[in-house]
Protein backbone atom coordinates (compact mmCIF):
# COMPACT_ATOMS: atom_id res chain seq x y z
CA UNK A 1 0.00 0.00 0.00
CA UNK A 2 1.35 3.44 -0.96
CA UNK A 3 0.66 5.16 2.38
CA UNK A 4 2.65 2.58 4.37
CA UNK A 5 5.42 2.84 1.79
CA UNK A 6 5.54 6.63 2.27
CA UNK A 7 5.82 6.15 6.02
CA UNK A 8 8.61 3.66 5.31
CA UNK A 9 10.50 6.32 3.32
CA UNK A 10 10.32 8.70 6.28
CA UNK A 11 11.58 5.96 8.57
CA UNK A 12 14.49 5.21 6.20
CA UNK A 13 15.49 8.90 6.17
CA UNK A 14 15.39 9.05 9.99
CA UNK A 15 17.52 5.94 10.32
CA UNK A 16 20.09 7.25 7.83
CA UNK A 17 20.44 10.49 9.81
CA UNK A 18 20.62 8.59 13.11
CA UNK A 19 23.43 6.38 11.84
CA UNK A 20 25.43 9.42 10.64
CA UNK A 21 24.96 11.19 13.98
CA UNK A 22 26.23 8.06 15.77
CA UNK A 23 29.43 7.88 13.69
CA UNK A 24 32.13 9.45 15.86
CA UNK A 25 34.68 10.03 13.08
CA UNK A 26 32.13 11.35 10.58
CA UNK A 27 30.80 13.82 13.16
CA UNK A 28 34.31 14.99 14.03
CA UNK A 29 34.99 15.71 10.34
CA UNK A 30 31.73 17.64 10.01
CA UNK A 31 31.83 19.59 13.29
CA UNK A 32 35.50 20.38 13.91
CA UNK A 33 37.01 22.87 11.48
CA UNK A 34 40.67 22.06 12.17
CA UNK A 35 42.72 19.88 9.80
CA UNK A 36 43.37 17.44 12.67
CA UNK A 37 39.68 16.84 13.37
CA UNK A 38 40.25 13.16 14.20
CA UNK A 39 42.46 14.15 17.14
CA UNK A 40 39.64 16.22 18.66
CA UNK A 41 37.40 14.84 21.43
CA UNK A 42 34.20 13.02 20.53
CA UNK A 43 31.37 15.35 19.59
CA UNK A 44 29.11 15.80 22.60
CA UNK A 45 25.39 15.60 21.83
CA UNK A 46 25.65 15.15 18.05
CA UNK A 47 21.86 15.62 17.71
CA UNK A 48 22.38 19.34 18.29
CA UNK A 49 23.95 19.50 14.80
CA UNK A 50 20.79 18.31 13.06
CA UNK A 51 19.71 21.21 10.82
CA UNK A 52 23.03 22.92 11.62
CA UNK A 53 25.54 20.63 9.92
CA UNK A 54 23.55 17.46 9.13
CA UNK A 55 20.40 17.98 7.08
CA UNK A 56 17.65 15.46 6.19
CA UNK A 57 16.94 17.53 3.06
CA UNK A 58 19.04 19.00 0.26
CA UNK A 59 20.69 22.01 1.79
CA UNK A 60 23.23 24.39 0.27
CA UNK A 61 25.49 26.09 2.82
CA UNK A 62 27.00 29.51 2.69
CA UNK A 63 24.09 31.89 2.33
CA UNK A 64 26.05 34.05 4.75
CA UNK A 65 29.27 34.84 2.83
CA UNK A 66 31.30 34.93 6.05
CA UNK A 67 30.09 31.51 7.21
CA UNK A 68 32.64 28.70 7.06
CA UNK A 69 31.48 25.19 7.80
CA UNK A 70 31.04 21.66 6.54
CA UNK A 71 27.58 20.28 5.81
CA UNK A 72 26.15 16.88 4.88
CA UNK A 73 22.65 16.62 3.45
CA UNK A 74 20.60 13.52 2.61
CA UNK A 75 17.86 13.29 0.03
CA UNK A 76 15.66 10.46 -1.23
CA UNK A 77 15.28 10.79 -4.98
CA UNK A 78 13.71 9.17 -8.05
CA UNK A 79 11.42 6.89 -6.02
CA UNK A 80 9.77 4.35 -8.36
CA UNK A 81 6.65 2.29 -7.72
CA UNK A 82 5.64 -1.09 -9.08
CA UNK A 83 2.07 -2.28 -8.50
CA UNK A 84 1.36 0.60 -6.11
CA UNK A 85 4.34 -0.13 -3.85
CA UNK A 86 7.69 1.62 -3.90
CA UNK A 87 10.41 -0.67 -5.11
CA UNK A 88 13.46 1.43 -5.91
CA UNK A 89 14.96 4.87 -5.60
CA UNK A 90 18.12 6.76 -4.78
CA UNK A 91 19.69 7.99 -1.57
CA UNK A 92 21.96 10.94 -2.25
CA UNK A 93 24.47 12.25 0.31
CA UNK A 94 25.79 15.73 -0.53
CA UNK A 95 28.93 16.91 1.27
CA UNK A 96 29.88 20.58 1.15
CA UNK A 97 32.78 22.33 2.81
CA UNK A 98 34.14 25.85 2.74
CA UNK A 99 37.33 26.09 0.69
CA UNK A 100 39.26 27.15 3.81
CA UNK A 101 38.25 23.85 5.46
CA UNK A 102 39.02 21.43 2.61
CA UNK A 103 42.43 20.39 3.92
CA UNK A 104 42.62 17.33 6.15
CA UNK A 105 45.48 15.56 7.90
CA UNK A 106 43.84 12.17 7.39
CA UNK A 107 43.15 12.47 3.62
CA UNK A 108 43.89 15.01 0.95
CA UNK A 109 40.39 16.52 1.20
CA UNK A 110 37.92 16.68 4.10
CA UNK A 111 35.14 15.78 1.64
CA UNK A 112 37.04 12.60 0.62
CA UNK A 113 37.20 11.52 4.25
CA UNK A 114 33.48 12.17 4.83
CA UNK A 115 32.47 10.40 1.61
CA UNK A 116 34.59 7.40 2.61
CA UNK A 117 32.94 7.30 6.05
CA UNK A 118 29.47 7.50 4.48
CA UNK A 119 30.39 4.63 2.16
CA UNK A 120 31.63 2.54 5.12
CA UNK A 121 28.32 3.17 6.91
CA UNK A 122 25.94 2.48 4.05
CA UNK A 123 27.43 0.55 1.11
CA UNK A 124 25.59 -2.76 0.66
CA UNK A 125 23.76 -2.12 3.92
CA UNK A 126 20.63 -4.15 4.61
CA UNK A 127 19.82 -2.46 7.92
CA UNK A 128 17.05 -0.14 6.75
CA UNK A 129 14.25 -2.46 5.67
CA UNK A 130 15.81 -2.35 2.21
CA UNK A 131 16.99 -5.47 0.47
CA UNK A 132 20.26 -3.66 -0.15
CA UNK A 133 21.93 -0.37 -1.03
CA UNK A 134 24.12 -0.44 -4.12
CA UNK A 135 26.66 2.24 -5.04
CA UNK A 136 25.35 4.26 -7.99
CA UNK A 137 27.77 7.17 -8.50
CA UNK A 138 30.21 9.65 -7.03
CA UNK A 139 30.10 13.16 -8.44
CA UNK A 140 31.32 16.72 -7.94
CA UNK A 141 28.54 19.13 -6.99
CA UNK A 142 27.89 22.34 -8.84
CA UNK A 143 27.63 25.03 -6.18
CA UNK A 144 26.54 28.61 -6.68
CA UNK A 145 28.67 29.89 -3.79
CA UNK A 146 32.29 30.08 -5.04
CA UNK A 147 33.57 29.71 -1.45
CA UNK A 148 32.38 26.10 -1.18
CA UNK A 149 33.36 22.77 -2.69
CA UNK A 150 31.18 19.67 -2.71
CA UNK A 151 30.94 16.01 -3.64
CA UNK A 152 27.99 13.66 -3.67
CA UNK A 153 27.71 9.91 -3.33
CA UNK A 154 24.53 8.18 -4.44
CA UNK A 155 23.20 4.71 -3.68
CA UNK A 156 20.36 2.85 -5.34
CA UNK A 157 17.78 1.40 -2.93
CA UNK A 158 16.59 -1.96 -4.18
CA UNK A 159 13.25 -3.50 -3.17
CA UNK A 160 12.29 -1.61 -0.03
CA UNK A 161 8.51 -2.21 -0.01
CA UNK A 162 8.51 -5.37 2.07
Amino acid sequence: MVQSSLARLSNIRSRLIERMLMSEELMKAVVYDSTNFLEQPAVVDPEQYLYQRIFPIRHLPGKNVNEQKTVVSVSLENIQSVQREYKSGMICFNVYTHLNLCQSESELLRTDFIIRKIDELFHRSQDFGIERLEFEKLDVLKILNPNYYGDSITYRMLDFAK
Side-chain angles (χ1 to χ4, degrees), residues 13-21 50 54-56 74:
R13 184 189 314 264
S14 295
R15 292 170 69 192
L16 292 167
I17 294 294
E18 181 180 316
R19 177 154 312 162
M20 285 194 310
L21 292 172
L50 186 60
I54 303 286
F55 290 84
V74 178

Side-chain angles (χ1 to χ4, degrees), residues 111-146:
T111 52
D112 288 349
F113 179 84
I114 295 170
I115 292 285
R116 182 171 57 85
K117 285 296 161 188
I118 289 170
D119 192 58
E120 288 172 7
L121 289 172
F122 299 112
H123 183 69
R124 296 194 180 272
S125 176
Q126 296 179 318
D127 298 339
F128 298 97
I130 303 168
E131 185 176 306
R132 70 183 180 278
L133 290 177
E134 289 288 332
F135 173 79
E136 179 72 16
K137 68 178 181 174
L138 179 65
D139 212 348
V140 174
L141 294 167
K142 294 173 180 75
I143 303 174
L144 297 177
N145 186 330

Side-chain angles (χ1 to χ4, degrees), residues 19-43 46 54 70 72 104 106-107 110-118 120-121:
R19 177 154 312 162
M20 285 194 310
L21 292 172
M22 291 174 50
S23 171
E24 183 175 316
E25 288 187 339
L26 183 132
M27 288 305 297
K28 285 181 178 184
V30 171
V31 171
Y32 293 116
D33 294 337
S34 63
T35 59
N36 67 343
F37 51 82
L38 288 179
E39 296 173 20
Q40 303 304 313
V43 174
I54 303 286
T70 300
V72 178
S104 163
S106 58
E107 300 210 15
R110 181 183 301 263
T111 52
D112 288 349
F113 179 84
I114 295 170
I115 292 285
R116 182 171 57 85
K117 285 296 161 188
I118 289 170
E120 288 172 7
L121 289 172

Side-chain angles (χ1 to χ4, degrees), residues 51-126:
Y51 292 103
Q52 302 297 320
R53 303 254 182 155
I54 303 286
F55 290 84
I57 58 172
R58 271 194 189 257
H59 175 78
L60 298 172
K63 292 177 181 107
N64 175 347
V65 294
N66 296 322
E67 184 176 53
Q68 295 185 20
K69 65 181 182 178
T70 300
V71 169
V72 178
S73 69
V74 178
S75 58
L76 304 178
E77 302 176 3
N78 198 26
I79 306 302
Q80 306 282 321
S81 71
V82 176
Q83 298 177 348
R84 299 185 56 180
E85 291 195 20
Y86 297 108
K87 292 290 189 180
S88 70
M90 304 289 193
I91 299 174
C92 186
F93 296 90
N94 295 312
V95 180
Y96 308 94
T97 195
H98 191 277
L99 292 176
N100 290 341
L101 305 177
C102 280
Q103 189 176 355
S104 163
E105 288 183 9
S106 58
E107 300 210 15
L108 185 61
L109 295 173
R110 181 183 301 263
T111 52
D112 288 349
F113 179 84
I114 295 170
I115 292 285
R116 182 171 57 85
K117 285 296 161 188
I118 289 170
D119 192 58
E120 288 172 7
L121 289 172
F122 299 112
H123 183 69
R124 296 194 180 272
S125 176
Q126 296 179 318

